[in-house]
Amino acid sequence: MTHPHPYAGYLFAYFTGEATPDGEQIRYALSRGNNPCTGGS
């Protein structure tokens, strides 16, 4: 199976606020480009 478009980046999911009164929150971040280590540079 081929993809019509090449991959363009990465989605990161992480948790914050473990010690806050409103509890743990899930956060999302995207890379810039297809290299998760350099932010697309």
Side-chain angles (χ1 to χ4, degrees):
M1 180 174 158
T2 61
H3 294 277
H5 302 286
Y7 293 117
Y10 290 86
L11 169 69
F12 301 96
Y14 58 97
F15 296 94
T16 61
E18 193 170 303
T20 60
D22 61 347
E24 200 167 54
Q25 303 291 313
I26 188 166
R27 305 288 184 188
Y28 299 100
L30 297 173
S31 70
R32 291 185 186 150
N34 199 21
N35 187 336
C37 297
T38 61
S41 300

mmCIF file of all heavy atoms in Angstrom:
data_model
loop_
_atom_site.group_PDB
_atom_site.id
_atom_site.type_symbol
_atom_site.label_atom_id
_atom_site.label_comp_id
_atom_site.label_asym_id
_atom_site.label_seq_id
_atom_site.Cartn_x
_atom_site.Cartn_y
_atom_site.Cartn_z
ATOM 1 N N MET A 1 0.845 -1.183 0.000
ATOM 2 C CA MET A 1 0.000 0.000 0.000
ATOM 3 C C MET A 1 0.888 1.242 0.000
ATOM 4 O O MET A 1 1.776 1.376 0.826
ATOM 5 C CB MET A 1 -0.893 -0.023 1.240
ATOM 6 C CG MET A 1 -1.806 1.128 1.345
ATOM 7 S SD MET A 1 -2.902 0.850 2.753
ATOM 8 C CE MET A 1 -3.381 2.483 3.069
ATOM 9 N N THR A 2 0.649 2.149 -0.880
ATOM 10 C CA THR A 2 1.409 3.392 -0.926
ATOM 11 C C THR A 2 0.571 4.538 -0.373
ATOM 12 O O THR A 2 -0.652 4.547 -0.502
ATOM 13 C CB THR A 2 1.857 3.727 -2.360
ATOM 14 O OG1 THR A 2 0.693 3.888 -3.158
ATOM 15 C CG2 THR A 2 2.735 2.630 -2.929
ATOM 16 N N HIS A 3 1.249 5.494 0.215
ATOM 17 C CA HIS A 3 0.573 6.669 0.758
ATOM 18 C C HIS A 3 0.619 7.787 -0.285
ATOM 19 O O HIS A 3 1.650 8.010 -0.907
ATOM 20 C CB HIS A 3 1.263 7.136 2.040
ATOM 21 C CG HIS A 3 1.148 6.143 3.148
ATOM 22 N ND1 HIS A 3 0.044 6.070 3.953
ATOM 23 C CD2 HIS A 3 1.979 5.170 3.565
ATOM 24 C CE1 HIS A 3 0.208 5.102 4.821
ATOM 25 N NE2 HIS A 3 1.379 4.540 4.610
ATOM 26 N N PRO A 4 -0.476 8.518 -0.451
ATOM 27 C CA PRO A 4 -0.492 9.590 -1.448
ATOM 28 C C PRO A 4 0.422 10.759 -1.082
ATOM 29 O O PRO A 4 0.900 11.467 -1.945
ATOM 30 C CB PRO A 4 -1.947 10.040 -1.484
ATOM 31 C CG PRO A 4 -2.522 9.589 -0.203
ATOM 32 C CD PRO A 4 -1.753 8.369 0.203
ATOM 33 N N HIS A 5 0.695 10.964 0.220
ATOM 34 C CA HIS A 5 1.550 12.064 0.667
ATOM 35 C C HIS A 5 2.594 11.506 1.633
ATOM 36 O O HIS A 5 2.263 10.681 2.488
ATOM 37 C CB HIS A 5 0.723 13.136 1.381
ATOM 38 C CG HIS A 5 -0.367 13.697 0.530
ATOM 39 N ND1 HIS A 5 -0.131 14.569 -0.510
ATOM 40 C CD2 HIS A 5 -1.702 13.490 0.544
ATOM 41 C CE1 HIS A 5 -1.275 14.878 -1.081
ATOM 42 N NE2 HIS A 5 -2.247 14.230 -0.464
ATOM 43 N N PRO A 6 3.821 11.950 1.553
ATOM 44 C CA PRO A 6 4.832 11.498 2.512
ATOM 45 C C PRO A 6 4.521 12.056 3.902
ATOM 46 O O PRO A 6 3.831 13.060 4.045
ATOM 47 C CB PRO A 6 6.136 12.075 1.969
ATOM 48 C CG PRO A 6 5.717 13.246 1.151
ATOM 49 C CD PRO A 6 4.357 12.899 0.593
ATOM 50 N N TYR A 7 5.060 11.400 4.900
ATOM 51 C CA TYR A 7 4.876 11.892 6.267
ATOM 52 C C TYR A 7 5.516 13.265 6.408
ATOM 53 O O TYR A 7 6.585 13.525 5.881
ATOM 54 C CB TYR A 7 5.489 10.927 7.277
ATOM 55 C CG TYR A 7 4.783 9.600 7.332
ATOM 56 C CD1 TYR A 7 5.433 8.431 6.993
ATOM 57 C CD2 TYR A 7 3.453 9.528 7.718
ATOM 58 C CE1 TYR A 7 4.782 7.210 7.035
ATOM 59 C CE2 TYR A 7 2.786 8.316 7.763
ATOM 60 C CZ TYR A 7 3.463 7.156 7.431
ATOM 61 O OH TYR A 7 2.820 5.970 7.479
ATOM 62 N N ALA A 8 4.852 14.144 7.131
ATOM 63 C CA ALA A 8 5.333 15.522 7.251
ATOM 64 C C ALA A 8 5.775 15.878 8.657
ATOM 65 O O ALA A 8 6.314 16.943 8.874
ATOM 66 C CB ALA A 8 4.240 16.477 6.806
ATOM 67 N N GLY A 9 5.531 15.035 9.650
ATOM 68 C CA GLY A 9 5.921 15.364 11.018
ATOM 69 C C GLY A 9 5.458 14.316 12.008
ATOM 70 O O GLY A 9 4.959 13.263 11.630
ATOM 71 N N TYR A 10 5.635 14.630 13.283
ATOM 72 C CA TYR A 10 5.281 13.731 14.368
ATOM 73 C C TYR A 10 4.318 14.412 15.327
ATOM 74 O O TYR A 10 4.402 15.622 15.545
ATOM 75 C CB TYR A 10 6.532 13.330 15.160
ATOM 76 C CG TYR A 10 7.456 12.426 14.396
ATOM 77 C CD1 TYR A 10 8.415 12.943 13.535
ATOM 78 C CD2 TYR A 10 7.369 11.054 14.532
ATOM 79 C CE1 TYR A 10 9.271 12.116 12.833
ATOM 80 C CE2 TYR A 10 8.215 10.209 13.834
ATOM 81 C CZ TYR A 10 9.162 10.752 12.993
ATOM 82 O OH TYR A 10 10.002 9.938 12.296
ATOM 83 N N LEU A 11 3.444 13.621 15.927
ATOM 84 C CA LEU A 11 2.554 14.085 16.994
ATOM 85 C C LEU A 11 3.076 13.499 18.298
ATOM 86 O O LEU A 11 3.324 12.297 18.383
ATOM 87 C CB LEU A 11 1.121 13.604 16.755
ATOM 88 C CG LEU A 11 0.146 13.782 17.915
ATOM 89 C CD1 LEU A 11 -0.145 15.261 18.141
ATOM 90 C CD2 LEU A 11 -1.131 13.014 17.678
ATOM 91 N N PHE A 12 3.267 14.363 19.302
ATOM 92 C CA PHE A 12 3.712 13.936 20.620
ATOM 93 C C PHE A 12 2.582 14.153 21.613
ATOM 94 O O PHE A 12 1.943 15.204 21.604
ATOM 95 C CB PHE A 12 4.921 14.754 21.078
ATOM 96 C CG PHE A 12 6.096 14.643 20.151
ATOM 97 C CD1 PHE A 12 6.311 15.593 19.172
ATOM 98 C CD2 PHE A 12 6.986 13.592 20.272
ATOM 99 C CE1 PHE A 12 7.394 15.502 18.322
ATOM 100 C CE2 PHE A 12 8.071 13.483 19.426
ATOM 101 C CZ PHE A 12 8.272 14.446 18.446
ATOM 102 N N ALA A 13 2.331 13.182 22.460
ATOM 103 C CA ALA A 13 1.360 13.320 23.548
ATOM 104 C C ALA A 13 2.109 13.157 24.859
ATOM 105 O O ALA A 13 2.943 12.265 24.990
ATOM 106 C CB ALA A 13 0.277 12.263 23.426
ATOM 107 N N TYR A 14 1.828 14.053 25.825
ATOM 108 C CA TYR A 14 2.498 13.968 27.122
ATOM 109 C C TYR A 14 1.573 14.498 28.205
ATOM 110 O O TYR A 14 0.585 15.169 27.924
ATOM 111 C CB TYR A 14 3.839 14.716 27.099
ATOM 112 C CG TYR A 14 3.741 16.174 26.748
ATOM 113 C CD1 TYR A 14 3.713 17.153 27.737
ATOM 114 C CD2 TYR A 14 3.690 16.596 25.422
ATOM 115 C CE1 TYR A 14 3.627 18.496 27.412
ATOM 116 C CE2 TYR A 14 3.611 17.932 25.090
ATOM 117 C CZ TYR A 14 3.574 18.876 26.086
ATOM 118 O OH TYR A 14 3.486 20.200 25.770
ATOM 119 N N PHE A 15 1.889 14.183 29.457
ATOM 120 C CA PHE A 15 1.063 14.562 30.590
ATOM 121 C C PHE A 15 1.758 15.633 31.422
ATOM 122 O O PHE A 15 2.969 15.596 31.606
ATOM 123 C CB PHE A 15 0.770 13.345 31.472
ATOM 124 C CG PHE A 15 -0.038 12.301 30.771
ATOM 125 C CD1 PHE A 15 0.587 11.243 30.131
ATOM 126 C CD2 PHE A 15 -1.422 12.379 30.729
ATOM 127 C CE1 PHE A 15 -0.157 10.273 29.471
ATOM 128 C CE2 PHE A 15 -2.170 11.420 30.070
ATOM 129 C CZ PHE A 15 -1.537 10.375 29.445
ATOM 130 N N THR A 16 0.977 16.597 31.928
ATOM 131 C CA THR A 16 1.494 17.646 32.808
ATOM 132 C C THR A 16 0.550 17.808 33.987
ATOM 133 O O THR A 16 -0.582 17.333 33.966
ATOM 134 C CB THR A 16 1.602 19.002 32.077
ATOM 135 O OG1 THR A 16 0.303 19.397 31.647
ATOM 136 C CG2 THR A 16 2.545 18.932 30.893
ATOM 137 N N GLY A 17 1.019 18.496 35.036
ATOM 138 C CA GLY A 17 0.167 18.858 36.161
ATOM 139 C C GLY A 17 -0.135 17.756 37.136
ATOM 140 O O GLY A 17 -1.184 17.760 37.768
ATOM 141 N N GLU A 18 0.780 16.819 37.294
ATOM 142 C CA GLU A 18 0.527 15.693 38.190
ATOM 143 C C GLU A 18 0.267 16.146 39.626
ATOM 144 O O GLU A 18 -0.514 15.523 40.342
ATOM 145 C CB GLU A 18 1.732 14.750 38.153
ATOM 146 C CG GLU A 18 1.468 13.408 38.781
ATOM 147 C CD GLU A 18 2.607 12.463 38.500
ATOM 148 O OE1 GLU A 18 2.940 12.229 37.334
ATOM 149 O OE2 GLU A 18 3.158 11.949 39.493
ATOM 150 N N ALA A 19 0.896 17.224 40.047
ATOM 151 C CA ALA A 19 0.762 17.680 41.432
ATOM 152 C C ALA A 19 -0.188 18.869 41.576
ATOM 153 O O ALA A 19 -0.208 19.511 42.614
ATOM 154 C CB ALA A 19 2.137 18.045 41.981
ATOM 155 N N THR A 20 -0.990 19.170 40.570
ATOM 156 C CA THR A 20 -1.896 20.317 40.656
ATOM 157 C C THR A 20 -3.271 19.888 41.152
ATOM 158 O O THR A 20 -3.661 18.723 41.003
ATOM 159 C CB THR A 20 -2.045 21.012 39.287
ATOM 160 O OG1 THR A 20 -2.579 20.086 38.350
ATOM 161 C CG2 THR A 20 -0.708 21.532 38.785
ATOM 162 N N PRO A 21 -4.038 20.820 41.723
ATOM 163 C CA PRO A 21 -5.362 20.480 42.255
ATOM 164 C C PRO A 21 -6.347 19.968 41.198
ATOM 165 O O PRO A 21 -7.222 19.163 41.508
ATOM 166 C CB PRO A 21 -5.872 21.792 42.844
ATOM 167 C CG PRO A 21 -4.668 22.635 43.055
ATOM 168 C CD PRO A 21 -3.676 22.196 42.031
ATOM 169 N N ASP A 22 -6.237 20.451 39.955
ATOM 170 C CA ASP A 22 -7.193 20.001 38.932
ATOM 171 C C ASP A 22 -6.766 18.700 38.257
ATOM 172 O O ASP A 22 -7.423 18.237 37.334
ATOM 173 C CB ASP A 22 -7.449 21.104 37.897
ATOM 174 C CG ASP A 22 -6.200 21.526 37.149
ATOM 175 O OD1 ASP A 22 -5.092 21.159 37.568
ATOM 176 O OD2 ASP A 22 -6.338 22.241 36.144
ATOM 177 N N GLY A 23 -5.674 18.122 38.703
ATOM 178 C CA GLY A 23 -5.269 16.807 38.205
ATOM 179 C C GLY A 23 -4.407 16.860 36.962
ATOM 180 O O GLY A 23 -4.054 17.917 36.455
ATOM 181 N N GLU A 24 -4.085 15.700 36.496
ATOM 182 C CA GLU A 24 -3.201 15.551 35.348
ATOM 183 C C GLU A 24 -3.901 15.937 34.053
ATOM 184 O O GLU A 24 -5.068 15.627 33.850
ATOM 185 C CB GLU A 24 -2.751 14.095 35.285
ATOM 186 C CG GLU A 24 -1.521 13.848 34.489
ATOM 187 C CD GLU A 24 -0.990 12.453 34.736
ATOM 188 O OE1 GLU A 24 -1.746 11.485 34.573
ATOM 189 O OE2 GLU A 24 0.184 12.334 35.090
ATOM 190 N N GLN A 25 -3.183 16.630 33.171
ATOM 191 C CA GLN A 25 -3.712 17.058 31.881
ATOM 192 C C GLN A 25 -2.909 16.404 30.766
ATOM 193 O O GLN A 25 -1.713 16.189 30.908
ATOM 194 C CB GLN A 25 -3.591 18.578 31.737
ATOM 195 C CG GLN A 25 -4.283 19.363 32.827
ATOM 196 C CD GLN A 25 -5.786 19.253 32.736
ATOM 197 O OE1 GLN A 25 -6.343 19.400 31.661
ATOM 198 N NE2 GLN A 25 -6.436 19.002 33.848
ATOM 199 N N ILE A 26 -3.561 16.096 29.663
ATOM 200 C CA ILE A 26 -2.845 15.594 28.496
ATOM 201 C C ILE A 26 -2.581 16.758 27.560
ATOM 202 O O ILE A 26 -3.436 17.605 27.346
ATOM 203 C CB ILE A 26 -3.600 14.450 27.784
ATOM 204 C CG1 ILE A 26 -2.720 13.833 26.710
ATOM 205 C CG2 ILE A 26 -4.926 14.915 27.234
ATOM 206 C CD1 ILE A 26 -3.221 12.512 26.177
ATOM 207 N N ARG A 27 -1.370 16.817 27.034
ATOM 208 C CA ARG A 27 -0.949 17.882 26.121
ATOM 209 C C ARG A 27 -0.464 17.253 24.827
ATOM 210 O O ARG A 27 -0.010 16.117 24.805
ATOM 211 C CB ARG A 27 0.200 18.709 26.724
ATOM 212 C CG ARG A 27 -0.087 19.279 28.076
ATOM 213 C CD ARG A 27 -1.074 20.386 28.004
ATOM 214 N NE ARG A 27 -1.237 20.971 29.337
ATOM 215 C CZ ARG A 27 -2.140 21.851 29.634
ATOM 216 N NH1 ARG A 27 -2.971 22.278 28.724
ATOM 217 N NH2 ARG A 27 -2.249 22.318 30.845
ATOM 218 N N TYR A 28 -0.545 18.013 23.758
ATOM 219 C CA TYR A 28 -0.093 17.555 22.448
ATOM 220 C C TYR A 28 0.880 18.558 21.863
ATOM 221 O O TYR A 28 0.771 19.758 22.100
ATOM 222 C CB TYR A 28 -1.280 17.395 21.485
ATOM 223 C CG TYR A 28 -2.289 16.390 21.948
ATOM 224 C CD1 TYR A 28 -3.462 16.789 22.576
ATOM 225 C CD2 TYR A 28 -2.077 15.033 21.759
ATOM 226 C CE1 TYR A 28 -4.390 15.866 23.007
ATOM 227 C CE2 TYR A 28 -3.008 14.100 22.192
ATOM 228 C CZ TYR A 28 -4.158 14.528 22.816
ATOM 229 O OH TYR A 28 -5.073 13.607 23.244
ATOM 230 N N ALA A 29 1.830 18.050 21.099
ATOM 231 C CA ALA A 29 2.785 18.912 20.401
ATOM 232 C C ALA A 29 3.070 18.299 19.046
ATOM 233 O O ALA A 29 2.964 17.082 18.864
ATOM 234 C CB ALA A 29 4.077 19.041 21.201
ATOM 235 N N LEU A 30 3.410 19.138 18.084
ATOM 236 C CA LEU A 30 3.753 18.686 16.735
ATOM 237 C C LEU A 30 5.188 19.058 16.423
ATOM 238 O O LEU A 30 5.669 20.117 16.819
ATOM 239 C CB LEU A 30 2.842 19.359 15.702
ATOM 240 C CG LEU A 30 1.361 19.054 15.810
ATOM 241 C CD1 LEU A 30 0.586 19.936 14.835
ATOM 242 C CD2 LEU A 30 1.091 17.601 15.528
ATOM 243 N N SER A 31 5.863 18.173 15.697
ATOM 244 C CA SER A 31 7.199 18.515 15.221
ATOM 245 C C SER A 31 7.084 19.408 14.000
ATOM 246 O O SER A 31 6.037 19.467 13.356
ATOM 247 C CB SER A 31 7.988 17.250 14.864
ATOM 248 O OG SER A 31 7.460 16.650 13.695
ATOM 249 N N ARG A 32 8.156 20.086 13.689
ATOM 250 C CA ARG A 32 8.229 20.864 12.448
ATOM 251 C C ARG A 32 9.087 20.069 11.493
ATOM 252 O O ARG A 32 10.296 19.984 11.653
ATOM 253 C CB ARG A 32 8.860 22.226 12.702
ATOM 254 C CG ARG A 32 7.974 23.110 13.513
ATOM 255 C CD ARG A 32 8.574 24.491 13.639
ATOM 256 N NE ARG A 32 7.765 25.271 14.555
ATOM 257 C CZ ARG A 32 8.230 26.225 15.320
ATOM 258 N NH1 ARG A 32 9.499 26.535 15.289
ATOM 259 N NH2 ARG A 32 7.425 26.882 16.109
ATOM 260 N N GLY A 33 8.469 19.468 10.529
ATOM 261 C CA GLY A 33 9.200 18.614 9.600
ATOM 262 C C GLY A 33 9.192 17.170 10.064
ATOM 263 O O GLY A 33 8.532 16.807 11.034
ATOM 264 N N ASN A 34 9.949 16.355 9.378
ATOM 265 C CA ASN A 34 9.917 14.921 9.617
ATOM 266 C C ASN A 34 11.046 14.435 10.524
ATOM 267 O O ASN A 34 11.389 13.278 10.531
ATOM 268 C CB ASN A 34 9.970 14.177 8.277
ATOM 269 C CG ASN A 34 9.478 12.758 8.399
ATOM 270 O OD1 ASN A 34 8.763 12.414 9.324
ATOM 271 N ND2 ASN A 34 9.870 11.917 7.470
ATOM 272 N N ASN A 35 11.668 15.336 11.301
ATOM 273 C CA ASN A 35 12.731 14.942 12.217
ATOM 274 C C ASN A 35 12.336 15.366 13.617
ATOM 275 O O ASN A 35 12.352 16.559 13.928
ATOM 276 C CB ASN A 35 14.057 15.585 11.800
ATOM 277 C CG ASN A 35 15.220 15.060 12.614
ATOM 278 O OD1 ASN A 35 15.052 14.584 13.724
ATOM 279 N ND2 ASN A 35 16.400 15.142 12.044
ATOM 280 N N PRO A 36 11.985 14.421 14.499
ATOM 281 C CA PRO A 36 11.514 14.785 15.832
ATOM 282 C C PRO A 36 12.597 15.350 16.734
ATOM 283 O O PRO A 36 12.287 15.999 17.729
ATOM 284 C CB PRO A 36 10.982 13.467 16.384
ATOM 285 C CG PRO A 36 11.781 12.426 15.679
ATOM 286 C CD PRO A 36 11.991 12.982 14.302
ATOM 287 N N CYS A 37 13.853 15.152 16.395
ATOM 288 C CA CYS A 37 14.946 15.602 17.277
ATOM 289 C C CYS A 37 15.372 17.038 17.046
ATOM 290 O O CYS A 37 15.905 17.673 17.932
ATOM 291 C CB CYS A 37 16.156 14.689 17.100
ATOM 292 S SG CYS A 37 15.814 12.993 17.585
ATOM 293 N N THR A 38 15.165 17.567 15.872
ATOM 294 C CA THR A 38 15.695 18.899 15.572
ATOM 295 C C THR A 38 14.606 19.940 15.353
ATOM 296 O O THR A 38 14.907 21.069 15.045
ATOM 297 C CB THR A 38 16.559 18.852 14.303
ATOM 298 O OG1 THR A 38 15.740 18.432 13.205
ATOM 299 C CG2 THR A 38 17.733 17.930 14.466
ATOM 300 N N GLY A 39 13.353 19.575 15.459
ATOM 301 C CA GLY A 39 12.281 20.532 15.227
ATOM 302 C C GLY A 39 12.198 20.986 13.778
ATOM 303 O O GLY A 39 11.711 22.061 13.488
ATOM 304 N N GLY A 40 12.703 20.169 12.864
ATOM 305 C CA GLY A 40 12.601 20.471 11.452
ATOM 306 C C GLY A 40 13.762 21.249 10.868
ATOM 307 O O GLY A 40 13.749 21.630 9.725
ATOM 308 N N SER A 41 14.775 21.513 11.674
ATOM 309 C CA SER A 41 15.928 22.281 11.175
ATOM 310 C C SER A 41 16.773 21.456 10.225
ATOM 311 O O SER A 41 16.903 20.290 10.344
ATOM 312 C CB SER A 41 16.815 22.713 12.328
ATOM 313 O OG SER A 41 16.076 23.524 13.198
#
